Amino acid sequence: MCVPVPPKSWLSLLVDEASETEFRRHRDLLSDAQPPINPESELALALEIRAMLVQRRQRMTELAALNDISVRLSSSGSFEGVLRLVVENAKTLLGVDLAYLGLVEDDQLAVLVTAGAITQQLPTLRLPLNAGVFSKVVRGAAPFSTRDYQQERRITRSVAADAAAAGEHIRGLLGVPLRSDDEVIGALFVAKRSERQFSADEESLLSVLASHAAVAIQVHRTVERLQDVAAEQDLMAAWDETFSSIVSAGAGLEPMLEALGRLVSGDVVFTEGAIPRSEPGAKVELRASGRIVGYLHLYVDDYPVGPRARAISRIAPMVALAIESDRSALEASRRSKEAAVLALLTQPGQDFAALRHRIRSAGIGEVDRHRIVVFSGGTGEPIDSGALRQRFSDVILVDHDGYVVGILSPASMESVMSANCSISHMGLFAAVSDPVATDQLASAFDSTRELADAMAALGRNGMSVPSDLAPYSLLLSFAGRDRLKQFVDERLGALLATEARRNIPLLETVGAFLETGQRPSATAAQLGVHVNTIYQRLTIVDGVLGTGWRQTDEALGLLLLIRTFAAAQQMEAVPGTLTSAKTLERNHVP
């Protein structure tokens, strides 16, 4: 029987892209033909040609995919979109069940994009670089493949990686590094849910896809940096303009703090002293002319980073200069007001127009009558005016000849008069005058200063007005000095002469004896001597003054005179004959 030759040829089968089975069937038909034909050599050649065509079609598909990725890279496509395209093409071109891409972040590999994942573990996976396949690919900077991940012994196991692999049923696995210059920035993986040995061609194809992904990442990061630089420049320009306008307008510190608050999205407070470490928020040191002028306290959860942090660093010197400018302006204003106050107190005889000008310059209010305040330390040495200025910030205080003086406005009068305890604790003596007319300020200043001296001489620290020391101030005034000298000469002259001749502090002993209620033991304790010494001194005093000086009326008068005399000596208000015991001795002792 004659078998006809099949109508198709090897070439027609190739053109029709016939399967390998059809090629073998064609061979069998040729073998059964009459006369018989030996088709084996032709079959081998045809299959080889077919394999070449299949490979070329695969290469064309791969090239088309790579070209698509390249187009997406050069277009304005999103960063994640390009990476997803790479991962999806890796899954399709390599014929796998799963593909995923991860980037190195803080010594971990964070899975960024997946294709074909069936669980939520893999898309959120973060793994250390020292374990699992990640260590082989990223730290080894080389591709790595395994026929069966579950049986792989060449890797250091990671519980998290094994759990994710088990959830995805990963068996065959291939990973290649993502390189940017000489740095490995991540890895691209493909996986089968059955055993599979990946070929060198597949490894090469995945490496090409990984290089495209690396380019996309590098482009994205470059664009991000450029955008950050542009945003920072815009931010700097905007804040430079904002703060320059504040400075040029002379608006001061508060508008700057408000603007800074908007910049950091929080409250900003200026402090002159250092901020405790325990205080929440961020701290910024302010420097001008090489020295610290204060600190900014930023009440924010976290210190600003990036452009905002650099903007703060750029703005901080402007704030410091503004603070210095404000301080200079305040200091100039303070000095001007102090000069006006000092002129009102020390330059009598000014005309009415000059007085009104001084009053306005001093900022104490245009009222008909004023009070003067004089602070003294009682030693003649300058006192700490800074503490007083801080305590009485509403009063213009001036340092003058060891005193601190000021003119009280109606508003500041109450704050000064209510501060008696504070002044006492400071160990100061403060005298406040009665209300006087503006043209009498200079003369009232002299009497108020004498009142402060009298308080210091009597040891009465705190606040006083003229009525508090009326008896003493009368005797210690210039008008009463002659009368005081006469009292002392008449009542104490002989005692002072005896004291000078015998070199025994008799007057001090009498004063202490009267102040302690005429108790010898208490007097001895106050003076730091033996009680017998007190008895001996009192015997001498009785011999000079008689015994009647201990009677109540005599004792009170004598104590008042001794106190006044001591105050006069301290104030140097009495002529030298009064304070010179040797002169008294010459006058009273032959």
Side-chain angles (χ1 to χ4, degrees):
M1 179 178 176
C2 182
V3 178
V5 176
K8 287 193 174 184
S9 65
W10 295 109
L11 290 176
S12 63
L13 289 173
L14 289 171
V15 170
D16 293 341
E17 298 183 358
S19 65
E20 185 176 343
T21 301
E22 291 179 276
F23 274 83
R24 296 187 182 281
R25 186 181 300 118
H26 184 67
R27 178 203 58 187
D28 294 340
L29 290 173
L30 290 177
S31 298
D32 295 337
Q34 293 296 328
I37 301 173
N38 184 8
E40 290 299 332
S41 60
E42 293 181 359
L43 173 64
L45 180 60
L47 289 177
E48 184 177 349
I49 294 173
R50 178 183 178 278
M52 291 174 60
L53 291 175
V54 170
Q55 187 178 38
R56 288 184 180 181
R57 281 195 296 272
Q58 176 68 15
R59 291 289 180 269
M60 289 176 63
T61 302
E62 293 172 359
L63 289 173
L66 294 175
N67 181 65
D68 189 20
I69 295 173
S70 299
V71 171
R72 292 285 293 273
L73 282 173
S74 62
S75 68
S76 58
S78 70
F79 166 64
E80 288 192 4
V82 174
L83 295 187
R84 188 167 299 281
L85 181 65
V86 168
V87 172
E88 289 174 350
N89 274 282
K91 176 176 178 291
T92 302
L93 295 177
L94 275 78
V96 294
D97 301 313
L98 172 66
Y100 55 97
L101 182 148
L103 295 182
V104 176
E105 296 178 357
D106 300 327
D107 291 330
Q108 290 184 317
L109 190 77
V111 175
L112 194 64
V113 183
T114 63
I118 59 176
T119 69
Q120 291 300 314
Q121 285 179 283
L122 188 62
T124 59
L125 189 63
R126 296 182 70 92
L127 292 174
L129 301 179
N130 58 358
V133 178
F134 300 113
S135 176
K136 292 286 186 181
V137 175
V138 177
R139 288 197 166 180
F144 179 84
S145 65
T146 176
R147 181 181 183 85
D148 187 356
Y149 175 84
Q150 305 298 335
Q151 303 300 322
E152 182 58 56
R153 297 179 180 275
R154 293 173 294 167
I155 60 175
T156 302
R157 291 289 174 175
S158 164
V159 174
D162 287 350
E168 294 290 342
H169 306 294
I170 292 176
R171 303 294 293 275
L173 182 65
L174 169 64
V176 295
L178 272 65
R179 298 176 182 272
S180 177
D181 297 327
D182 294 331
E183 180 186 5
V184 176
I185 61 174
L188 176 62
F189 294 91
V190 291
K192 283 287 290 181
R193 295 189 171 98
S194 60
E195 294 184 15
R196 174 169 168 176
Q197 185 64 54
F198 290 94
S199 68
D201 288 342
E202 290 172 322
E203 181 182 299
S204 298
L205 174 59
L206 192 62
S207 295
V208 172
L209 290 170
S211 68
H212 280 72
V215 169
I217 294 167
Q218 192 171 20
V219 169
H220 172 70
R221 289 177 174 176
T222 301
V223 170
E224 274 192 335
R225 283 195 296 269
L226 292 174
Q227 289 175 341
D228 288 344
V229 170
E232 180 173 347
Q233 290 176 342
D234 291 343
L235 181 67
M236 292 295 186
W239 286 107
D240 279 350
E241 182 179 354
T242 298
F243 280 85
S244 296
S245 63
I246 293 174
V247 172
S248 60
L253 179 61
E254 286 303 320
M256 283 192 167
L257 297 181
E258 292 175 3
L260 273 173
R262 293 194 296 272
L263 175 63
V264 302
S265 300
D267 293 329
V268 179
V269 176
F270 169 75
T271 60
E272 293 188 356
I275 303 169
R277 292 181 178 272
S278 58
E279 189 74 14
K283 293 88 177 173
V284 178
E285 185 180 86
L286 298 177
R287 286 182 172 270
S289 303
R291 64 186 183 85
I292 298 175
V293 299
Y295 302 84
L296 292 178
H297 192 171
L298 282 56
Y299 287 91
V300 292
D301 293 334
D302 298 301
Y303 189 85
V305 296
R308 293 185 182 274
R310 289 186 283 274
I312 292 173
S313 299
R314 188 183 180 100
I315 291 166
M318 299 174 66
V319 177
L321 289 174
I323 292 168
E324 283 286 87
S325 178
D326 283 354
R327 287 177 177 174
S328 297
L330 288 173
E331 179 66 14
S333 174
R334 183 181 70 83
R335 289 183 180 276
S336 175
K337 291 179 179 180
E338 287 180 356
V341 167
L342 198 58
L344 285 167
L345 297 179
T346 61
Q347 298 178 16
Q350 301 179 62
D351 61 37
F352 185 73
L355 287 171
R356 286 180 62 85
H357 174 72
R358 297 288 189 187
I359 288 290
R360 285 195 297 270
S361 299
I364 56 177
E366 296 188 29
V367 295
D368 294 335
R369 302 177 73 80
H370 302 275
R371 290 178 184 261
I372 298 169
V373 61
V374 176
F375 295 94
S376 170
T379 62
E381 298 295 325
I383 60 178
D384 183 8
S385 58
L388 286 172
R389 287 191 177 94
Q390 186 175 2
R391 176 63 179 82
F392 304 109
S393 58
D394 54 347
V395 183
I396 303 299
L397 297 174
V398 188
D399 293 283
H400 179 64
D401 290 344
Y403 302 91
V404 176
V405 302
I407 302 175
L408 302 180
S409 66
S412 61
M413 177 64 190
E414 183 178 350
S415 67
V416 172
M417 294 303 293
S418 63
N420 185 54
C421 290
S422 298
I423 295 170
S424 295
H425 290 155
M426 295 170 73
L428 298 179
F429 308 92
V432 176
S433 72
D434 291 327
V436 296
T438 303
D439 59 353
Q440 298 298 313
L441 285 171
S443 59
F445 172 54
D446 292 333
S447 60
T448 307
R449 184 166 48 179
E450 289 180 357
L451 178 60
D453 290 341
M455 292 173 59
L458 296 170
R460 294 188 52 170
N461 58 7
M463 181 76 64
S464 290
V465 295
S467 60
D468 295 335
L469 299 180
Y472 299 102
S473 58
L474 176 62
L475 289 173
L476 295 175
S477 66
F478 283 105
R481 286 174 184 174
D482 290 342
R483 183 59 178 155
L484 177 61
K485 178 182 179 300
Q486 182 181 350
F487 285 159
V488 172
D489 287 346
E490 292 175 355
R491 194 74 179 88
L492 300 176
L495 186 63
L496 288 171
T498 304
E499 176 179 290
R501 186 178 69 252
R502 303 187 63 169
N503 197 26
I504 300 174
L506 300 177
L507 190 62
E508 181 185 22
T509 301
V510 172
F513 182 68
L514 295 176
E515 286 178 351
T516 57
Q518 301 189 25
R519 291 178 298 159
S521 58
T523 305
Q526 181 172 320
L527 298 179
V529 297
H530 195 277
V531 68
N532 290 339
T533 302
I534 299 301
Y535 283 121
Q536 293 170 4
R537 291 179 183 178
L538 292 177
T539 300
I540 296 172
V541 173
D542 288 343
V544 176
L545 300 181
T547 57
W549 66 274
R550 303 191 190 200
Q551 302 299 318
T552 302
D553 292 341
E554 285 290 327
L556 288 175
L558 187 58
L559 179 58
L560 175 61
L561 183 57
I562 290 173
R563 286 179 175 177
T564 307
F565 175 51
Q569 283 184 307
Q570 184 170 334
M571 295 170 59
E572 297 181 354
V574 181
T577 54
L578 182 60
T579 58
S580 173
K582 292 190 178 296
T583 301
L584 288 170
E585 180 182 0
R586 287 195 299 270
N587 292 339
H588 293 277
V589 179

